[in-house]
Structure formats: structure tokens, C-alpha cells
Amino acid sequence: MKRVYIETYGCQMNEDDSERMLRLLEGAQYLETQEPREANLILINTCSVREKPEHKVYSALGRFKRLKENQKTIIGVAGCVAQQEGKRLLDRVPYLDMVIGTQAIHLLPELVQRVQNKGQRVCATELDREGKYLIAPRPQKGRGKMKSYVTIMQGCDHFCSFCIVPYVRGRERSRPGEEVVEEVKHLAGIGVKEVCLLGQNVNAYGKGKNGELDFPSLLRHIDEISGIERIRFTTSHPEDLSDGLTQSFSELSKLCEHIHLPFQSGSDRILKRMHRGYTKGSYLERVDRLREACPSIAITADVIVGFPGEEDKDFGETLDLMAQVRFDDLFSFKYSPRKGTRAAQFEDQMEDNVKQERLSILQSMQKEITLQKHQILEGTTQEILVEGRSKQSDRDVTGRTRSNKIVNFKGDLNLVGSLNPVRIVKAFPHSLRGELVE
Ligand code: SAM
Ligand code: SF4
């Protein structure tokens, strides 16, 4: 057996792509290793949504250069950076063997063969009209997983002015409903308890396809699969949050009480320049409807500071939206200009020190809110899906509430994979401390 080492940077979609690449390579007699020096094949899989992951590709390539010199390791770059840079990557990095675009994952075993047998350097960045890149062999029993991602759609048709995704992942494409349902049944059969349905904009799932399930119907089908205990999904665009999906939170018992609903900015002027298609008011209405349908729902979001032309009063609107919603948690980013997007050409780009200052203000405000949200849970009993040993102590296990909060408590490893009632005894900024209810 040969060995493959995969280094993944970026979002859950990238993590799932890496998992699917591993499964494809298992069929070509490759086993995963955590040690790059042992590997016959090294893959770096990254996203390019913000600038940092892109830098990581080049620094990772630098680290692996020596391995290439000492042994005949094959090195490939996959993901959004590969899609965006294409052949330029091969030109810039003479020891790189493969560039695997976002829609060429299914070709991976064949590309490896070409490098191995013919000594070719390959670049596969053509867009795949048939959607074969969404398919991968099913996971086998024994990977010890109680949670699994399931990619249900890829790409995006929204073209927000700051975002590179539609250019590097292509247009929206959904997998057929029966295929997704069959995959989830298979996962339930090998012991998976929780699935997280993935896509850049899952609530546009099935859109525009005759006879295809829409997202709430897909959720209903998955809710009926025995063995699956929890359903999550990410990410949702507020504009596509239908009433049907909002109601699903009150109707489907396995759908966890959590939604990630990025708002990006609280200023209508900036939202318009971002081409987001909603206003602060309509975002707040959606939040109200979600909370009416499911009062205990946890809401998290993404926000960008320092978008071109963002003035103090625009930033003030963002803080005001945060104060009104009181998110359970927030992923906050400094705007990073992406080549080829409209916003990168706007002339009123902001200085980094202003972006940094706004980010710090916003993050300290959210830190306080997150802690208060955690404190509300003190004294309550929560259902925890135990995921493994806690990083903090050998005697503790760690898991998540249905609302996606991390809970650590004293317990044996034989609890891993099971759902347990746990009483919350102490709140911290990033996690909760609990006690198993016997
Ligand atoms: N499709 C989701 C939506 O629109 O709600 C978001 C997916 S995007 C890949 C993940 C997050 O990255 C975005 O919500 C946004 O906050 C952030 N992001 C995307 N482009 C960015 C940029 N150019 N600079 C900073 N953050 C960015
Ligand atoms: Fe990017 Fe999300 Fe906008 Fe699509 S909806 S362009 S993925 S930010």
C-alpha cells in the first residue's frame, strides 16, 4: 500500500473534499498517513476565499520541497487556489506535479497515475458540466466516525461583490435527492449519528430543477432515516431562507436548533454594494421568524469589516444589528480584496489599521455576548453527542449540544458516539463545563 498525506485549509467544504479525495485514493491502494515524510503522495487542499489560506499554499509547498528532493514524493495542490491559479502554479513551483481544480476531484486517481507512470505534470481545472465531481465512493465502516459531512450542492449563483466562490467553484449545482438520501442511509448503516449537509448556499438546493426536491423536502426525507439522530446544515444565504425552511425547525425532530446565517454588514448602503439582496430590516425579520418557529434556536453568522467605503456610521449599523440579534457566535473577517471580483476594483479601499480596529471592537462585543449566552445554559440539562477525548484533560470527554456548543465533562471513552444528558455547571467564553446525569 502507498501512503497519502493531505493538508487541508479553509472551510467545511474543503474538509469534505479532502475526505472524498481520501476515499477515491483508497480505491487506488493509497492509505492515509498523518506523517508527510512517510507519504508517496502529498496533497495541499485550500480555499481562497480570504487571502491567508492562499499564502498557506506557498508556505506548505516550501516545507515539502525537501521531501521531493530526497524521495520521489508526488506533490499536488487542490481546491480553490488550484482552480484559480491553474497552470500558473505549475510555472511558479517547478517541483509541483499536480494542480487539481474544484471540479476535478473525481479525476484524482487517474491524474496520480499519469504523474506516476508517464512522469507528466498535470493541471485539471476544466469545469465539469455533468457534475461528476460531486460523486465519491461511500465511506466504509471502521473510520470510527459518529458525524459526517454530506455535500449536497456546490457553487453559487449569487455573485456577492466581494466573493471569489462563484469563480472558483462554478455555478450552483445540486446533487439528485435520491442520491443524497441513499448516502445518508448508508452513513446511518455504518454508525453515523449526525450529518451536516454542506453547500455554499444549501437553501437554494434543488432550485430550478423540474421534479427535484427542494431543501425543506430533502430535510424531511433525511429526518425519516432511522439511525440518524441529528441533522445540521451550512451555509444559508438570508435571501433564500424560505418560510418552509424556517418551519422545518419546529417540525423536524432531528433538525438541530442552530442556523448559520451570515449577514456580512448591518448597513443597507454597504449591503447594496456587496450585492447581498437583503436589508438590515429584512434580515432582522428573518431572525424574528426563526425565533418564533423555534425559540431555542442558536444563531451564528459571518460578518465582514472594512468593506470598501465603510464609514463609521455603517460600522455602527453592524454593531447595532449585533446588539439586536445577540448572535450565539460570530465569525468575523477583515475585508480582503480578491482578484477578479467587483469589490476589488472599488476605489475606496480601507486602510488595514481601520479594519483591524473595527474587528477588535466587534470581536470584544461578541465575546461578551457569547459568554452571556453560555451563562444562560448554566443549570440546564443538554443532550450531548460525545465526540472524543477532551483536549484539556485525559479524564474528560468532549461533545456538542444540539445548538452546537462545545461541552466538556468527566467520562469514559466508551461514551464516544452516544447521546447523553449532561448538566451544565460552568460557562466559559468558548465552551461549557458539564456533569453527566446518571
Ligand atoms: N455562502 C455564504 C453566504 O453568503 O452567506 C458564505 C460562504 S463564504 C465562502 C464564507 C465567508 O467568508 C463569508 O460569509 C464572508 O463573511 C467571508 N468572505 C468571503 N469573501 C471574503 C472577502 N473577500 N474578504 C473577507 N471575508 C470574505
Ligand atoms: Fe460567496 Fe456566499 Fe455570496 Fe455565494 S452567497 S457569492 S458563496 S458570499
Side-chain angles (χ1 to χ4, degrees), residues 159-163 167 268-276 304 306-310 335-351 355:
F159 287 92
C160 301
S161 62
F162 54 81
C163 185
Y167 306 97
D268 287 348
R269 193 177 69 85
I270 296 295
L271 285 170
K272 198 161 180 198
R273 289 191 99 196
M274 287 178 163
H275 196 242
R276 287 291 286 179
I304 296 176
F307 186 78
E310 185 189 68
Y335 168 71
S336 150
R338 310 313 294 132
K339 206 167 60 191
T341 60
R342 268 183 302 145
Q345 287 160 17
F346 292 170
E347 282 174 4
D348 39 7
Q349 302 286 330
M350 312 278 304
E351 295 292 332
K355 293 182 192 175

Side-chain angles (χ1 to χ4, degrees), residues 1-5 22 25-26 29-33:
M1 277 298 231
K2 294 191 166 160
R3 304 270 162 179
V4 53
Y5 171 80
L22 275 177
L25 288 166
E26 274 168 7
Q29 308 303 304
Y30 274 88
L31 266 187
E32 187 185 12
T33 172

Side-chain angles (χ1 to χ4, degrees), residues 11 49-50 156 160 162-165 199-201 235-238 260-264 276 302-304 331 333-338 341:
C11 59
V49 167
R50 291 170 297 278
C156 185
C160 301
F162 54 81
C163 185
I164 195 82
V165 167
Q200 298 299 344
N201 183 19
T235 293
S236 315
H237 188 293
H260 187 67
L261 196 64
F263 69 98
Q264 315 299 1
R276 287 291 286 179
D302 297 340
V303 57
I304 296 176
F331 297 85
F333 309 107
K334 287 193 280 185
Y335 168 71
S336 150
R338 310 313 294 132
T341 60

Side-chain angles (χ1 to χ4, degrees), residues 199-219:
Q200 298 299 344
N201 183 19
V202 283
N203 40 12
Y205 173 85
K207 190 178 76 179
K209 274 198 175 175
N210 269 348
E212 189 50 90
L213 298 176
D214 63 6
F215 190 51
S217 323
L218 180 71
L219 286 173

